[in-house]
Amino acid sequence: MEKPAENTPVTASSSAVIPPAQLGISVASIVDGRSVMLSDGSKAEVSGLAQPGPCWAEAAGDFAKAMLLNQQVRYDRATGALSLTDGTDYALLALGNGAGRTAGAPTPGQKEAEGAAQRVPMGLWGAPCGGKDALETSTPPPPPPPPAPTTTTKPPAPPKPKPVFYASCDEARRAGAAPLYWGQPGYRIELDGNRNGVACESRYSGGYR
């Protein structure tokens, strides 16, 4: 069996061809805390990071913007690993700063970075999220029922006294109304001779006869 010539190139099996991680690309925009749009128009989703929850989605997006936007990165489409130009793995960076949560089958390094942020706690593990994707909203108690309408019945007004007129004190005495006090029906100043507020007093008290 002849040996291949020393200058014969060795080719890899076509079934194991994996495109290498791209260099010289940058992050054009941030989709969320784990997904970015690259300068070549493709979307890169970082493996090992969970979809950001409503409570910490904004903070995760802000962290991604600060670390990745307009920065050159290396993205391995085979593994979903995104790293900075200095080799820093973005998933570990986000997990270690509480800007991400592990998902799927995280690597030991990812678990360690997440645990470090939990122990501080920092980022999504601190206030106000406390490690939860959404804040618990307590349902306020229902408002008390409106008070039953109270119907206040006014007491009937006392009947107005009928107008009474006595032509003289004798007439008032015959009617059994004497003496007449000021304000009573039938009292007239003309019948109150001494102007003391009592008309048709006794015949012997000096009042009007």
Side-chain angles (χ1 to χ4, degrees), residues 5-33:
E6 293 182 1
N7 58 353
T8 303
V10 179
T11 59
S13 172
S14 59
S15 61
V17 173
I18 298 175
Q22 289 181 313
L23 291 172
I25 59 174
S26 60
V27 174
S29 63
I30 305 297
V31 179
D32 53 36

Side-chain angles (χ1 to χ4, degrees), residues 171-183:
E171 185 178 342
R173 291 189 184 98
R174 285 194 297 271
L180 298 168
Y181 295 92
W182 182 86

Side-chain angles (χ1 to χ4, degrees), residues 15-165:
S15 61
V17 173
I18 298 175
Q22 289 181 313
L23 291 172
I25 59 174
S26 60
V27 174
S29 63
I30 305 297
V31 179
D32 53 36
R34 69 168 183 171
S35 304
V36 299
M37 296 301 297
L38 301 176
S39 57
D40 63 356
S42 63
K43 181 179 179 181
E45 188 171 293
V46 183
S47 63
L49 296 183
Q51 177 68 36
C55 183
W56 50 277
E58 183 177 356
D62 290 343
F63 182 82
K65 288 178 184 177
M67 295 292 108
L68 300 175
L69 188 60
N70 299 325
Q71 299 296 317
Q72 284 196 346
V73 293
R74 179 185 179 99
Y75 182 59
D76 191 330
R77 298 188 184 281
T79 62
L82 182 72
S83 57
L84 307 180
T85 53
D86 62 357
T88 301
D89 186 284
Y90 178 72
L92 297 179
L93 188 64
L95 292 169
N97 284 273
R101 182 201 297 276
T102 56
T107 65
Q110 290 172 346
K111 290 181 180 179
E112 182 180 353
E114 183 179 55
Q118 287 175 328
R119 288 189 294 271
V120 173
M122 66 187 304
L124 70 94
W125 306 106
C129 300
K132 298 178 181 179
D133 285 344
L135 293 177
E136 295 180 357
T137 56
S138 56
T139 305
T150 55
T151 55
T152 55
T153 55
K154 294 182 179 180
K160 294 182 179 180
K162 296 181 179 180
V164 179
F165 179 82

Side-chain angles (χ1 to χ4, degrees), residues 162-202 205 207-208:
K162 296 181 179 180
V164 179
F165 179 82
Y166 299 109
S168 63
C169 284
D170 288 337
E171 185 178 342
R173 291 189 184 98
R174 285 194 297 271
L180 298 168
Y181 295 92
W182 182 86
Q184 285 184 335
Y187 174 88
R188 291 187 297 120
I189 194 67
E190 291 83 5
L191 301 179
D192 190 358
N194 56 5
R195 304 293 192 272
N196 66 346
V198 183
C200 301
E201 294 177 274
S202 170
S205 60
Y208 187 82

